[in-house]
Every structure is written in C-alpha cells, then in structure tokens.
Amino acid sequence: EVDHSSRIVKKLKLTGVPAKVYKNTAFVKNMFSSALEVAKFEGAKLQTVAGLRGTVKKSVTGKGGVFRATFEDKIQRSDIVFLKTWKAMEPNKYYNPVTNLLLQEWQPMRSMTELRRDNNVAVPYSRDSQYREVKRTKQFNT
C-alpha cells in the first residue's frame, strides 16, 4: 500500500581549512569532528575554492577530525576545502497515505464545515473579529 521505492536525500557541503600544507599534501581541519567521521569519507573527492581537486586519505591520530588529503597541485594556506556529499534522510511520518482505495468502507475525515452543517451548529461569532469603520481626521502641517 505504501510505496518505499524512492529515497529522500539531503545535499551537504562540508567545509574545512588547511592546517599544514606540503607539496601536494595538506592536513585539513574543521571539516570533521572525529576520526570515525574521517574514516567514513576516506577516498571521497575534495575541491578547493581555487578549483584544485583532491581526495581524503587518512585521519591524523590524536587530533579529532584532522585528516591528510592529496591534491593535484600545491594549495594555498588561505584556500577553503569543501566536500560535496549526500545524506539519506527519513522524513517525519505525519500520516499514513492510503493508496489502496479498493476498500469501500473507508471514508476520509470530515472537515469542520461538513460537521457544522450536518449537526446544525452555527459558526462561532466573536465581536472583536468583525470589521469596523476607521474614522480619521485630516490633519495638515501639524
């Protein structure tokens, strides 16, 4: 009855900055918070603002979230390194959609208008909710 064939994903862009730069290698910080997160993204493709491409190599032991990455060319210390990725999301279940309408006894929920009409209940009246005429006096150059 409920279709589970499609997946909902969210687009992420993780950013970090080089902590130390060598020839084609750099240590990047502030992208991940632990070595476990780095291990999950080993081999992922990186890119700098300058357009240089690279890959995540390995986590630096003892420093949470800092990792070694290699690039096509030497990157600048002022570059920003980013990683584009997708994260699978589970949507909030607000309702259970009915896709099988073969059940004849099923009826949708009635609206407040239908309930009021069927039970002869008047719409609640509030005097504060009614429109009033606005009276303004003309004042020039005061």
Side-chain angles (χ1 to χ4, degrees), residues 12-139:
L12 292 178
K13 188 186 247 186
L14 304 173
T15 61
V17 292
K20 199 147 183 119
V21 177
Y22 297 104
K23 281 189 178 180
N24 290 355
T25 304
F27 292 100
V28 181
K29 63 180 181 178
N30 298 339
M31 187 178 289
F32 302 112
S33 60
S34 68
L36 185 65
E37 287 182 1
V38 176
K40 186 177 179 182
F41 286 97
E42 276 184 16
K45 295 179 181 176
L46 299 170
Q47 192 172 357
T48 65
V49 175
L52 294 172
R53 293 173 299 208
T55 56
V56 176
K57 289 297 180 185
K58 202 167 182 183
S59 174
V60 177
T61 55
K63 300 192 178 197
V66 179
F67 63 93
R68 185 172 65 87
T70 58
F71 294 92
E72 297 171 329
D73 198 7
K74 184 173 183 176
I75 66 170
Q76 299 292 319
R77 184 99 158 76
S78 60
D79 264 344
I80 296 173
V81 180
F82 56 90
L83 179 139
K84 295 178 183 173
T85 184
W86 300 89
K87 170 82 170 101
M89 299 296 294
E90 185 65 32
N92 294 335
K93 302 265 183 189
Y94 291 116
Y95 67 97
N96 187 13
V98 178
T99 56
N100 186 359
L101 294 179
L102 297 175
L103 304 172
Q104 296 300 321
E105 66 272 0
W106 180 82
Q107 290 181 345
M109 186 183 290
R110 295 190 295 172
S111 67
M112 288 297 292
T113 305
E114 291 171 335
L115 288 171
R116 283 192 182 114
R117 184 182 51 220
D118 294 345
N119 297 325
N120 292 326
V121 176
V123 178
Y125 171 79
S126 176
R127 200 164 168 248
D128 292 337
S129 298
Q130 300 299 316
Y131 288 107
R132 295 188 241 18
E133 185 179 341
V134 177
K135 296 181 181 177
R136 292 191 175 97
T137 59
K138 291 186 180 180
Q139 296 178 348

